[in-house]
Amino acid sequence: MILVDGLYSADGDFAPLDEITALAGEHDALVVVDEAHSFGAIGPNGLGVADHFGVLDRVHAVVGTMSKALGSVGGFVLTGKGLERELRYLAPSYTSSRGSAPGVAGASLASLQLVEEHGGDLRARLDHNVRFVIDGLTEAGLNLMRTTSHIVPVLVGDEHKTVAVSNWLMDHGIFVGTFVHPHVPSGEGRLRIGVTSTHTQAECALLVERLTEARNKFSL
């Protein structure tokens, strides 16, 4: 069995699922993909990185969440009948869980409907915002990691400096994720920027402006 993230949350890069599914085929292995950070945002149909690579038919189970792109609560597993039956009877995370509250289920269904009906436009706006932010930060001389997604990590390095920059940004109206050891390798602290389709051009420009100020202030 090969278990892999579709989109890695600390680096913003894709797993090469075209190569992974080919390898699994050679060794008769099951492929399980966690699309938590990619479902709704990646792929021609918004179904994640497996959709992006066109290998959904070679993935045996997709694990996802309602708490990222869909803005709700809960998770899901998409799989075939055989594995579904095993999970229903043997997975403690399912057998010991309870159903979603009606309001939560309604929010999830409404979000799924939005993805189905307007996902293409939302993803196009997301791609535009991502490109604007990456281009602006690159031009400003920030040390970006090789992201391929809406997760844009800025490498800082020292853990204490990473936290200090994050706190300074918060004080100046910008919230970013703070990743330090042990969540990332020691000495590779980073700021994780999460770009969305609803960010305005002015908000994206403000982000670039504040990070440029932080670069000068903290010698990033």
Side-chain angles (χ1 to χ4, degrees):
M1 181 180 288
I2 301 175
L3 301 99
V4 64
D5 281 359
L7 168 58
Y8 286 91
S9 63
D11 291 352
D13 58 335
F14 295 161
L17 288 180
D18 50 347
E19 300 174 20
I20 289 171
T21 52
L23 180 67
E26 294 176 12
H27 297 276
D28 195 26
L30 297 178
V31 179
V32 179
V33 182
D34 184 346
E35 300 277 20
H37 290 87
S38 45
F39 184 82
I42 302 296
N45 303 294
L47 300 178
V49 176
D51 183 32
H52 168 78
F53 283 107
V55 295
L56 271 170
D57 59 332
R58 289 186 270 165
V59 171
H60 299 85
V62 171
V63 181
T65 179
M66 303 295 188
S67 66
K68 299 290 190 295
L70 300 183
S72 185
V73 178
F76 59 85
V77 179
L78 304 175
T79 186
K81 289 184 177 180
L83 186 54
E84 176 198 355
R85 182 177 175 82
E86 291 186 26
L87 290 174
R88 285 186 183 276
Y89 284 95
L90 301 175
S93 55
Y94 178 82
T95 59
S96 300
S97 295
R98 298 296 177 263
S100 297
V104 171
S108 299
L109 287 171
S111 293
L112 287 169
Q113 187 174 6
L114 285 172
V115 169
E116 185 175 16
E117 294 178 358
H118 306 288
D121 291 337
L122 291 170
R123 288 189 293 276
R125 285 162 52 189
L126 175 61
D127 291 343
H128 173 79
N129 285 348
V130 169
R131 193 73 264 155
F132 180 92
V133 168
I134 289 177
D135 289 348
L137 295 179
T138 300
E139 185 177 344
L142 274 300
N143 189 5
L144 299 188
M145 304 189 71
R146 296 176 61 184
T147 181
T148 53
S149 71
H150 51 281
I151 295 173
V152 183
V154 177
L155 188 62
V156 176
D158 178 79
E159 277 84 359
H160 296 291
K161 181 185 283 191
T162 302
V163 173
V165 175
S166 177
N167 289 338
W168 183 88
L169 288 170
M170 176 70 82
D171 290 339
H172 290 78
I174 301 294
F175 171 73
V176 296
T178 309
F179 276 50
V180 295
H181 182 75
H183 302 291
V184 295
S186 181
E188 295 185 17
R190 66 202 63 174
L191 308 172
R192 188 181 76 175
I193 300 165
V195 184
T196 76
S197 61
T198 55
H199 281 128
T200 65
Q201 193 88 347
E203 288 169 336
C204 292
L206 179 62
L207 168 70
V208 173
E209 179 184 338
R210 290 289 184 265
L211 273 165
T212 302
E213 293 175 15
R215 173 185 173 273
N216 297 329
K217 180 178 179 63
F218 293 93
S219 302
L220 300 182

